[in-house]
Amino acid sequence: MWISFFKLRLFCCLLAVLMVVVLVINVTQVEYLDHETVAATFIDSSGQFDSSQMTGISRNPYCGYEHQTLSSRERMEEDSLLAALQWQVPDVGPVPFLKSTDPSSSYFVILNSAAFFKVGSQLEVLVHVQDFQRKPKKYGGDYLQARIHSPKLQAGAVGRVVDYQNGFYKVFFTLLWPGKVKVSISLVHPTEGIRVLQHLQEEKPHRVYFKSLFRSGRISETTECNVCLPGSLPLCNFTDLYTGEPWFCFKPKKLPCSSRINHFKGGYLKGLLTTAENAFFQSGVNIKMPINSSGPDWVTVIPTSIKEMKNSELSQGSGIFPSGYYYKDQWRPRKFKMRQFNDPDNITECLQRKVVYLFGDSTIRQWFEYLTAFVPDLVEFNLGSPKNVGPFLAVDQKHNILLKYRCHGPPIRFTTVFSSELRYVANELNGIVGGKNTVVAIAIWSHFSTFPLEVYIRRLRNIRRAVVQLLDRSPKTVVVIRTANPQELGPEVSLFNSDWYNFQLDTILRKMFSGVGVYLVDAWEMTLAHYLPHKLHPDEVIVKNQLDMFLSFVCPLET
């Protein structure tokens, strides 16, 4: 009996020791996993784990876009996009301010001047840039914007600029309405400023910084977050498990990475430029300044026959430029007939029995705000979301309409976004069934302007993959992409959200979604062609035209 009792006690002791050992091992493993530096598992662009990236704590600085694993096809596309966006800025060494482009001494001249032009014909304008000593410049690289307009007709269209790399630029316009048409050319940034912007894009991707609050009980810590983090401190790896989108925060000193509760914009780095570089970014001097004409700056356009107009459009092939124009403050796309939704009942009839998803930044949140303000039956449901952040929801129960808005995942320069609400657009799209009563609209560009282009290409690649899968399983789903748009610029805004940055993003977006089966709302041309000042969030008349175009895709004219 005593022998049996002794064996039982020995067995119990051994079992207790074994349990303690297992517990210690598990606690150690949890602590190791919770350490979550970049030594944690990395995920490639296809969403697969890549153990080759498990190399320990990151160094100065860590940039997730530099560690992508791309297929040969993806690599070829990325190289092609980057090559197409190579801005031809000559390597002329440091240039003093007086030898930089001066818009006030530069000029343009209408080349093919005639007594009159016909609607549909081409207008060519030659721009010659000079420096502040009124000497002709011998190289190109300036960023110009151009448009034609007729103020009395509330008409306008954009032009295409060609840089000859010798101080001369040619601008091509298509004359699209009869009357007196005026030419306007603006210098957005001189070549010398573009060189500075290029340097910031590649070397200072963390010039807009973000933060997250970590909290457990009464203990809370705030640390900096970004795609790229300088230094060698331990990091929390918040790389998305499905898309592989990289995101990192400095690890709190006392709290685990799992205690993150929110995300918010930290601020903007100061003192980015030298005194000499600051001279290239002066309001009223060389940022979005007009270039005057050395002669007449207008032409007379007379009507033409419909046959001649169609022949003119056919000669341009599939790449019609510009994509549209304003006439009497209404946008007129050149590829199709756009409807006018001037009455709330028209919108209700169009969206009846539909679910509309709006994903992206604040420029598509404007669509949500316009629709809920203009359509009385579309009532916003209070989700208790932070103002201007979302998510937002509006319902029209009578007509069975559901309207949703959700911001895209980081980087995003909003005020506080809860960690649980940080969703990537591609993941959201993967959760949509789709169908003839499903509408998706996406706008994602403004918050990527400070990063190298590879960051944006990666994001669009993931979204495009999700869009293609959505259209494969539900071909009748309507997917609309809203492009970028120009905005007001000052010395500081230019360093973070310049039109030059956004022009690059806009070009990438158009190329990557070409042929995918989505519709495009050309917010870039719709803002640039209008007579109102450029704004990040365009005025209501422009937003109204954007919505008219969007709804025309959802409910096209019956033919």
Side-chain angles (χ1 to χ4, degrees):
M1 180 178 175
W2 286 105
I3 295 173
S4 299
F5 182 69
F6 177 76
K7 287 182 179 179
L8 181 63
R9 287 187 62 183
L10 182 62
F11 175 76
C12 290
C13 290
L14 289 173
L15 185 62
V17 170
L18 182 63
M19 289 177 66
V20 169
V21 170
V22 170
L23 182 62
V24 169
I25 290 173
N26 275 280
V27 169
T28 304
Q29 184 67 18
V30 168
E31 288 178 347
Y32 172 77
L33 289 172
D34 193 49
H35 197 61
E36 281 178 340
T37 64
V38 266
T41 310
F42 193 87
I43 302 159
D44 71 14
S45 61
S46 64
Q48 301 299 312
F49 292 102
D50 183 359
S51 60
S52 66
Q53 301 295 341
M54 299 174 66
T55 56
I57 296 176
S58 60
R59 297 301 169 196
N60 179 39
Y62 184 84
C63 291
Y65 71 90
E66 294 176 342
H67 297 268
Q68 298 183 65
T69 303
L70 302 179
S71 67
S72 57
R73 192 172 186 176
E74 289 171 339
R75 175 62 63 192
M76 188 181 300
E77 179 188 42
E78 185 168 295
D79 290 345
S80 174
L81 288 168
L82 296 176
L85 287 165
Q86 282 294 321
W87 199 265
Q88 297 298 316
V89 177
D91 186 14
V92 293
V95 177
F97 171 70
L98 290 178
K99 291 188 177 294
S100 66
T101 306
D102 175 17
S104 64
S105 63
S106 303
Y107 62 89
F108 72 84
V109 59
I110 295 173
L111 289 180
N112 51 342
S113 57
F116 59 84
F117 293 82
K118 286 187 176 182
V119 171
S121 58
Q122 296 289 306
L123 180 68
E124 295 182 13
V125 172
L126 186 69
V127 183
H128 191 195
V129 296
Q130 299 188 141
D131 63 25
F132 284 89
Q133 297 174 324
R134 306 191 74 84
K135 293 180 180 179
K137 293 191 71 177
K138 303 298 183 182
Y139 55 87
D142 301 290
Y143 178 37
L144 308 178
Q145 290 175 348
R147 72 183 184 108
I148 49 174
H149 54 109
S150 298
K152 289 184 179 180
L153 298 173
Q154 294 179 310
V158 304
R160 187 177 79 254
V161 180
V162 176
D163 184 352
Y164 287 100
Q165 295 298 313
N166 58 3
F168 287 92
Y169 300 80
K170 191 175 279 188
V171 187
F172 298 88
F173 297 100
T174 301
L175 301 168
L176 296 165
W177 63 88
K180 183 178 179 180
V181 177
K182 191 177 188 301
V183 175
S184 290
I185 312 288
S186 297
L187 173 75
V188 182
H189 294 300
T191 310
E192 297 73 23
I194 296 295
R195 292 176 66 187
V196 175
L197 295 179
Q198 284 180 323
H199 174 76
L200 291 176
Q201 188 177 47
E202 293 300 326
E203 302 299 328
K204 300 286 185 180
H206 55 288
R207 61 191 182 279
V208 175
Y209 58 94
F210 306 87
K211 292 189 174 183
S212 275
L213 175 65
F214 296 78
R215 180 185 294 157
S216 180
R218 296 183 178 181
I219 303 174
S220 61
E221 293 181 64
T222 299
T223 72
E224 188 177 333
C225 307
N226 219 319
V227 174
C228 302
L229 286 174
S232 57
L233 295 174
L235 301 177
C236 290
N237 183 356
F238 295 114
T239 297
D240 183 64
L241 294 176
Y242 300 99
T243 63
E245 291 288 352
W247 191 254
F248 305 93
C249 296
F250 285 124
K251 190 179 187 302
K253 294 179 180 178
K254 299 180 180 178
L255 295 174
C257 295
S258 57
S259 63
R260 182 179 66 151
I261 65 169
N262 66 24
H263 162 96
F264 57 96
K265 181 183 71 176
Y268 300 87
L269 292 182
K270 305 293 183 182
L272 292 169
L273 306 185
T274 65
T275 302
E277 290 171 334
N278 273 317
F280 303 134
F281 299 92
Q282 300 183 63
S283 295
V285 177
N286 50 17
I287 298 177
K288 280 206 174 181
M289 290 298 294
I291 292 175
N292 295 318
S293 171
S294 65
D297 62 355
W298 58 273
V299 296
T300 301
V301 183
I302 61 173
T304 189
S305 67
I306 295 176
K307 184 178 180 180
E308 287 178 305
M309 188 69 177
K310 288 206 175 287
N311 287 337
S312 173
E313 291 186 357
L314 285 171
S315 67
Q316 297 188 49
S318 59
I320 292 180
F321 182 88
S323 67
Y325 62 99
Y326 282 105
Y327 191 78
K328 295 183 179 178
D329 242 0
Q330 293 180 352
W331 183 252
R332 296 187 176 184
R334 297 176 68 199
K335 287 186 177 181
F336 72 101
K337 179 76 172 174
M338 189 175 91
R339 296 177 60 186
Q340 298 296 318
F341 292 81
N342 299 323
D343 191 284
D345 290 342
N346 301 145
I347 298 178
T348 299
E349 182 183 0
C350 174
L351 296 182
Q352 190 166 2
R353 294 185 297 278
K354 287 182 171 54
V355 179
V356 182
Y357 299 90
L358 305 178
F359 296 117
D361 54 38
S362 56
T363 61
I364 206 164
R365 190 188 68 222
Q366 276 192 291
W367 290 14
F368 182 94
E369 293 164 349
Y370 177 90
L371 288 170
T372 52
F374 187 67
V375 182
D377 291 337
L378 200 55
V379 179
E380 185 172 355
F381 188 84
N382 185 5
L383 297 175
S385 301
K387 185 181 179 182
N388 298 334
V389 175
F392 300 126
L393 176 71
V395 180
D396 179 348
Q397 288 186 320
K398 181 180 177 182
H399 301 97
N400 199 18
I401 301 171
L402 184 62
L403 177 66
K404 298 180 175 184
Y405 164 78
R406 179 176 289 279
C407 67
H408 64 73
I412 189 157
R413 303 174 203 154
F414 282 2
T415 53
T416 305
V417 184
F418 295 118
S419 299
S420 59
E421 298 295 352
L422 288 173
R423 314 275 184 86
Y424 289 94
V425 174
N427 293 339
E428 294 297 300
L429 292 174
N430 288 333
I432 295 174
V433 175
K436 65 178 182 179
N437 290 323
T438 302
V439 181
V440 176
I442 303 167
I444 181 164
W445 56 277
S446 179
H447 300 259
F448 289 79
S449 57
T450 54
F451 294 97
L453 298 175
E454 293 90 339
V455 176
Y456 189 60
I457 292 171
R458 175 175 199 146
R459 183 62 55 91
L460 291 192
R461 189 187 297 121
N462 282 317
I463 293 173
R464 183 180 62 186
R465 184 185 297 116
V467 166
V468 169
Q469 291 171 351
L470 172 60
L471 294 176
D472 279 347
R473 64 179 176 266
S474 302
K476 292 185 178 180
T477 306
V478 175
V479 180
V480 180
I481 308 290
R482 181 207 186 275
T483 73
N485 61 262
Q487 68 172 90
E488 69 277 22
L489 295 179
E492 186 174 28
V493 175
S494 295
L495 307 183
F496 303 98
N497 230 37
S498 166
D499 282 1
W500 182 74
Y501 289 139
N502 293 327
F503 173 72
Q504 292 181 307
L505 302 182
D506 187 65
T507 303
I508 289 172
L509 182 142
R510 292 169 190 265
K511 287 180 178 292
M512 290 189 70
F513 279 93
S514 175
V516 173
V518 300
Y519 299 97
L520 206 68
V521 172
D522 199 335
W524 188 272
E525 286 194 23
M526 295 171 86
T527 304
L528 189 57
H530 204 272
Y531 55 82
L532 286 173
H534 301 165
K535 293 181 180 179
L536 174 61
H537 302 111
D539 285 329
E540 186 174 298
V541 63
I542 300 176
V543 176
K544 194 266 183 192
N545 277 287
Q546 292 174 5
L547 262 300
D548 284 347
M549 194 169 184
F550 165 67
L551 293 168
S552 295
F553 293 138
V554 179
C555 306
L557 284 168
E558 293 185 13
T559 58

